[in-house]
Amino acid sequence: MDPRIEDYALIGDEQTAALVGRDGSIDWLCLPRFDSGACFAKLLGDGNHGYWRIAPRGADTCARRAYRSDTLVLDTEWETTDGTVRVTDLMPQRDRAPDVVRIAEGVRGRVTVRSTLRLRFDYGSIMPWVRRSDGHRVAVAGPDSVWLRSEPAVRTWGEDYGTHAEFTLGEGDRVAFVLTWHPSHERRPPLTDPYEALESSVTDWRRWARECRYDGPYRDLVVRSLITLKALTYAPTGGIVAAATTSLPERPGGVRNWDYRYCWLRDSTLTLGALLTAGYHNEAEAWRDWLLRAVAGDPADLQIMYGVAGERRLPERELPWLPGFARSCPVRIGNGAVDQLQLDVYGEVMDSLSLARASGLPTRPHMWAIQRALMQFLAAAWRQPDEGLWEVRGGRRQFVHSKVMVWVAADRAVRTLEQHKELDGDLEGWRGLRDEVHREVCEKGFDPERATFTQCYGSRELDAALLLIPRVGFLPADDPRVIGTVDAIRDGLGHGGFLRRYDTGDSVVDGLPSGEGAFLACSFWLADALHMTGRTKEARELFDRLVGLVNDVGLLAEEYDPVTGRQLGNFPQAFSHIGLVNTALTLFGDDEAG
């Protein structure tokens, strides 16, 4: 069967995450961090690249699966001729070592269950040495060590370069497996009680979900999106990765396969807004503090993305031994776009820090000094061409969205000084910069013949990022230029009722072969723009269609192909879930949020 991105569910411990298929197989897991090497990489290859499947012997896909309400604990059930069995998957929040807990339980009849574990470190390239020790199976290779045990103990054996177990469950019988990673030079960490871990995980997640202030339509999906964002958070630092995966294709069989296990500054304002509005101030503060640490230094060296702890060097390379998801290669780790110039990120950072200050988050002594330094750099550099929000690889251009975000940076700096007289800054200079950028964008970035802003100065191409113009306050929503831009983008970039980012067929701008799906975050932006321009009924109809794209457990990838009905791109995608939360708050929050 052709693999489908939407066939996967997510479990995680806020430091890394695993993808579990409908067949009960964990096909992706990086240990110990999101951006570490994968020990299960079947997602991007085949069984020889590592996986762990627990399912009834001879069974294929499950009959049903679901998260326990308001948690990240996954229940998967199979119906067989002999009875029903359930597998519960979770990754408890760790003290030190990461654990994967899998509990098989008999529901009806008597069912024989099989576990097949194939560990392959370094993205499926290294087969470990496996031995027995104190009732465990221990796999070691280089810096990695993984311990597997069951409770109660069941017989395991080695076969075909894997570790196998088989056991029969009657109604109410349970067997729990715990897989634990630790550095191979250290002693085995303390044992995790799988049943206590299950109970505490359910309690902790539900306690966290109750903090959500939103109480409008689609609340379950909003909470699921917020849980997903929490799961994509690296708890030690507060950084939020764009996705849990690398190289899931934007076009099956194509080359648009990127590593998204890093933290993008472009997501900062939208992420912060979603967390604050939904009531998650602690997470918002942690994200703001990660942002301050990441951008500290020379403003000229500001990057568009960083590692989960703020690492700057993320060199891109290819893994030739992995054939890719649906034969989509190359498989890449690292991300070469880290070296791009994207002027919009200065606006994102300034907007985020302004929002944080206005929302009452505790300020940091160095925050305004960093903002002043960013503005000093931007005042001298804003006229440069850049690679733009979408990280095109066809060369630098004068992207209109980038200039709009320069205006945002200047505007937020001016507003901060006007509201906080105790702060020092070049108020008149920043006012002048704000006016100059605004005037230039309106003169060079607007096509009066078609009544729309364009992707670049003087071009005829459109860009869905321009839907953010009224949201950031560059022009009011009732300005004819805004309405014309919304209509032009909807008509020109529409794809099966949703929206593409831009025309990828223009290889001069894009620098890559054409073809990708509808971009879900942009489609949520369209719903926001329709609402802001007085077309709320159309906005809600679009939102209804968008939330209808979530998979059976409420998750979204980066893109969607309306032709095949398949999700595309890395999964689950923080940007898509941020869009879902923010659009729900925009469309329904004023009237129905708690």
Side-chain angles (χ1 to χ4, degrees):
M1 295 176 61
D2 290 338
R4 304 193 311 169
I5 291 169
E6 59 268 28
D7 283 343
Y8 288 95
L10 180 81
I11 59 173
D13 64 1
E14 297 181 56
Q15 295 190 43
T16 191
L19 294 190
V20 187
R22 291 181 59 86
D23 62 352
S25 179
I26 298 180
D27 290 346
W28 182 254
L29 174 61
C30 300
L31 292 172
R33 305 195 330 178
F34 290 106
D35 55 354
S36 299
C39 64
F40 300 143
K42 182 182 176 184
L43 181 73
L44 301 177
D46 57 36
N48 292 319
H49 299 111
Y51 69 97
W52 183 15
R53 185 175 188 230
I54 299 180
R57 185 176 60 189
D60 193 1
T61 59
C62 66
R64 55 191 165 271
R65 64 177 182 171
Y67 288 113
R68 297 195 184 183
S69 63
D70 291 350
T71 77
L72 202 65
V73 175
L74 179 71
D75 287 324
T76 304
E77 290 192 358
W78 285 263
E79 298 280 1
T80 75
T81 55
D82 297 323
T84 304
V85 69
R86 176 189 305 121
V87 174
T88 299
D89 290 319
L90 65 142
M91 292 187 69
Q93 291 190 15
R94 68 178 82 166
D95 293 324
R96 184 164 61 92
D99 297 302
V100 178
V101 174
R102 313 196 74 185
I103 302 173
E105 180 178 3
V107 178
R108 179 184 60 83
R110 291 185 62 80
V111 181
T112 299
V113 177
R114 189 176 182 100
S115 168
T116 302
L117 171 67
R118 285 186 175 177
L119 284 160
R120 300 292 186 269
F121 296 123
D122 192 31
Y123 303 98
S125 67
I126 297 175
M127 185 182 303
W129 184 267
V130 181
R131 59 183 172 85
R132 292 183 184 272
S133 176
D134 297 329
H136 292 68
R137 286 280 182 164
V138 185
V140 177
D144 298 294
S145 180
V146 167
W147 293 63
L148 174 72
R149 81 176 203 279
S150 63
E151 191 175 309
V154 297
R155 186 178 75 90
T156 62
W157 71 93
E159 178 185 324
D160 193 24
Y161 303 107
T163 299
H164 303 263
E166 193 169 282
F167 49 93
T168 299
L169 296 174
E171 183 175 339
D173 293 341
R174 295 192 298 181
V175 172
F177 290 89
V178 181
L179 183 145
T180 303
W181 178 96
H182 70 94
S184 60
H185 64 278
E186 295 181 0
R187 294 175 59 87
R188 185 195 69 191
L191 300 182
T192 295
D193 183 311
Y195 304 109
E196 287 184 2
L198 171 60
E199 183 178 347
S200 62
S201 291
V202 169
T203 299
D204 291 345
W205 277 112
R206 287 179 176 165
R207 182 186 299 117
W208 186 85
R210 283 197 296 270
E211 296 177 19
C212 178
R213 290 204 304 242
Y214 178 75
D215 195 28
Y218 305 102
R219 186 181 188 278
D220 287 348
L221 284 177
V222 170
V223 172
R224 176 55 51 199
S225 291
L226 289 165
I227 288 174
T228 303
L229 293 177
K230 178 74 167 170
L232 294 174
T233 300
Y234 185 68
T237 67
I240 301 175
V241 297
T245 58
T246 179
S247 300
L248 291 182
E250 297 172 17
R251 179 183 182 182
V255 300
R256 296 173 181 266
N257 317 317
W258 315 111
D259 193 345
Y260 275 19
R261 298 170 299 156
Y262 307 114
C263 307
W264 265 257
L265 299 190
R266 72 179 184 199
D267 304 356
S268 58
T269 302
L270 297 174
T271 303
L272 200 63
L275 292 172
L276 287 168
T277 308
Y280 291 100
H281 283 240
N282 289 338
E283 286 74 14
E285 184 177 350
W287 171 244
R288 190 278 314 273
D289 288 348
W290 175 90
L291 185 66
L292 283 172
R293 292 191 300 270
V295 305
D298 187 342
D301 297 330
L302 189 71
Q303 297 182 178
I304 67 168
M305 72 182 85
Y306 296 85
V308 293
E311 296 90 348
R312 290 174 173 263
R313 301 207 179 276
L314 311 174
E316 183 178 303
R317 64 188 180 95
E318 299 178 3
L319 306 183
W321 62 87
L322 287 173
F325 184 92
R327 315 301 294 183
S328 305
C329 56
V331 169
R332 297 180 173 95
I333 60 170
N335 199 308
V338 71
D339 296 322
Q340 290 188 353
L341 173 66
Q342 294 180 23
L343 292 172
D344 64 286
V345 299
Y346 293 85
E348 294 286 0
V349 172
M350 291 295 294
D351 199 16
S352 294
L353 298 180
S354 175
L355 175 61
R357 189 185 298 272
S359 300
L361 292 183
T363 59
R364 297 291 181 256
H366 57 291
M367 190 165 81
W368 181 243
I370 289 176
Q371 291 180 270
R372 283 204 320 264
L374 292 174
M375 287 306 304
Q376 183 178 3
F377 170 81
L378 202 55
W382 74 271
R383 295 184 182 278
Q384 296 182 41
D386 70 344
E387 277 90 359
L389 172 71
W390 304 125
E391 301 165 13
V392 298
R393 301 197 176 195
R396 295 181 178 180
R397 296 179 180 273
Q398 297 287 1
F399 285 98
V400 173
H401 173 262
S402 296
K403 305 306 184 191
V404 169
M405 294 308 296
V406 171
W407 177 90
V408 168
D411 179 71
R412 301 318 188 250
V414 168
R415 291 188 185 189
T416 300
L417 283 181
E418 290 175 343
Q419 295 165 8
H420 298 274
K421 306 296 187 183
E422 73 278 9
L423 298 177
D424 296 325
D426 184 9
L427 180 59
E428 292 308 314
W430 294 341
R431 281 175 177 160
L433 173 63
R434 181 177 63 177
D435 293 343
E436 184 180 6
V437 174
H438 197 281
R439 183 167 50 251
E440 180 176 296
V441 169
C442 291
E443 290 176 358
K444 297 182 178 180
F446 184 76
D447 182 349
E449 179 183 336
R450 294 182 297 155
T452 181
F453 285 95
T454 59
Q455 186 178 49
C456 307
Y457 286 174
S459 75
R460 294 187 59 82
E461 299 300 326
L462 301 171
D463 190 328
L466 300 173
L467 293 169
L468 297 174
I469 284 176
R471 184 179 189 125
V472 301
F474 184 83
L475 286 173
D478 59 357
D479 189 293
R481 291 168 291 183
V482 170
I483 296 171
T485 299
V486 173
D487 290 341
I489 289 173
R490 180 164 60 166
D491 294 341
L493 297 180
H495 183 29
F498 305 106
L499 208 64
R500 292 172 293 142
R501 296 180 296 169
Y502 56 95
D503 182 5
T504 60
D506 185 355
S507 61
V508 175
V509 172
D510 194 75
L512 295 166
S514 64
E516 66 175 19
F519 200 82
L520 296 179
C522 295
S523 301
F524 284 114
W525 296 348
L526 176 59
D528 296 338
L530 289 171
H531 171 66
M532 294 182 72
T533 55
R535 292 170 279 186
T536 299
K537 181 175 182 294
E538 295 176 57
R540 291 183 173 180
E541 289 172 351
L542 174 56
F543 185 73
D544 287 342
R545 295 198 302 274
L546 282 164
V547 298
L549 301 182
V550 301
N551 73 352
D552 59 316
V553 290
L555 301 181
L556 290 169
E558 182 180 30
E559 300 179 7
Y560 176 75
D561 183 356
V563 177
T564 62
R566 297 285 182 86
Q567 294 198 29
L568 300 172
N570 283 303
F571 179 85
Q573 179 79 7
F575 219 22
S576 299
H577 286 282
I578 292 165
L580 190 155
V581 172
N582 279 326
T583 300
L585 294 168
T586 296
L587 294 179
F588 309 109
D590 290 342
D591 298 329
E592 302 187 58

